[in-house]
Amino acid sequence: MADHSWDLITAPWHLDEHIPAFPVPAGATEMTWPDLPAGPVPVRMNVLHQAVADAVSRTARPLVLSGDCPTARASVAGLQRRHRDLAVVWLDAHGDFNTPAISTSGYVGGMALSMLTGRTPELFGDALKLRPVAETNVVLADARDLDPAERDALAASQVHRVTADPAAITAALDGRTPVYLHLDIDVVDSSQLSDLRFPAGPGPSLAQIEECLAAVCAAADVVGAGIACAWLPDRVGDQATREAIARLVKALGADLAWPEPASR
């Protein structure tokens, strides 16, 4: 069972696509699949994110396991209902700082951090009443795989860019609290985690990322967290991925267990 200090929530989708194989830990709140309207992906995502924001706002200390990074938008919107200001620590192999104007692919998942900082108002409107997080309150760790225009946007921003190192991250935080802590598992060296949606090659080890998570929790008031379990949809429920998720959750200070398989 999950440790009482975290309220586990699972959001089993990638953008507007349901992931049937998404693993649900014992004791977690499993988000139901809302009826989605026909229309553009952002419109459909708004419905999903509203459900997550509502669930987050009802819990004392939410830890959201999702299949993508944009779900962080919902988590932060939910946390903002009781926290006036938030700092964000974002561990990711990618910058997620694209916008519709500079993205070469148009992939909405590559805009997740831009969503939080108010750079993509044309995508979603004001459905969640999300208040932009000040760039000076954002710490982006690793981000080793950037598009050229995205790299330029980050360089011109006030986002604090650091390596995926515990001391570097906590120094950049500089006492900013409360904190929302976000992890995309593709930050981990691709040789250690197989079957990722967007592997980014050599990077920090799983053990290093565990140290980063533990350090942030020790140094700051982490009021909410999210882990983007961005494995391929048919592999996210594999035993190896479950073990990796459990290790990362433990680094946040919680014990995670999986339900026993149904007997035949």
Side-chain angles (χ1 to χ4, degrees), residues 11 13 15-16 31 34 36 42-56 68-75 77-78 81 108 115 124 128:
W13 48 73
L15 304 186
D16 65 334
M31 296 297 305
L36 300 184
V43 171
R44 292 161 58 83
M45 289 172 66
N46 261 339
V47 176
L48 298 172
H49 289 176
Q50 186 65 64
V52 175
D54 291 345
V56 165
D68 65 15
C69 289
T71 301
R73 167 179 174 262
S75 297
R81 296 181 191 178
V108 176
M115 295 172 192
F124 296 103
L128 298 188

Side-chain angles (χ1 to χ4, degrees), residues 20-219:
F22 198 89
V24 180
T29 297
E30 183 177 7
M31 296 297 305
T32 57
W33 183 246
D35 291 331
L36 300 184
V41 170
V43 171
R44 292 161 58 83
M45 289 172 66
N46 261 339
V47 176
L48 298 172
H49 289 176
Q50 186 65 64
V52 175
D54 291 345
V56 165
S57 70
R58 292 192 295 267
T59 61
R61 196 181 185 214
L63 170 54
V64 178
L65 305 180
S66 69
D68 65 15
C69 289
T71 301
R73 167 179 174 262
S75 297
V76 170
L79 288 169
Q80 285 179 338
R81 296 181 191 178
R82 59 177 179 271
H83 296 286
R84 180 176 177 82
D85 295 306
L86 286 173
V88 171
V89 175
W90 194 275
L91 292 96
D92 200 317
H94 308 93
D96 288 357
F97 212 62
N98 277 307
T99 65
I102 66 173
S103 174
T104 57
S105 66
Y107 175 57
V108 176
M111 306 178 193
L113 188 54
S114 287
M115 295 172 192
L116 294 188
T117 56
R119 288 177 171 250
T120 61
E122 68 274 33
L123 272 180
F124 296 103
D126 193 32
L128 298 188
K129 302 189 183 304
L130 176 71
R131 300 189 300 275
V133 176
E135 291 177 357
T136 52
N137 282 347
V138 176
V139 178
L140 173 61
D142 192 61
R144 61 188 183 270
D145 187 0
L146 299 172
D147 295 333
E150 180 185 30
R151 187 182 302 277
D152 292 343
L154 277 168
S157 77
Q158 294 180 293
V159 170
H160 300 273
R161 288 195 60 197
V162 298
T163 58
D165 171 78
I169 296 171
T170 54
L173 264 176
D174 192 26
R176 293 180 180 86
T177 56
V179 169
Y180 168 74
L181 175 57
H182 176 84
L183 169 71
D184 185 335
I185 50 86
D186 66 23
V187 73
V188 176
D189 191 301
S190 299
S191 67
Q192 284 195 268
L193 296 183
S194 60
D195 301 311
L196 300 176
R197 278 185 185 263
F198 303 106
S205 68
L206 182 57
Q208 285 175 283
I209 295 302
E210 289 175 285
E211 291 173 4
C212 290
L213 297 178
V216 174
C217 287

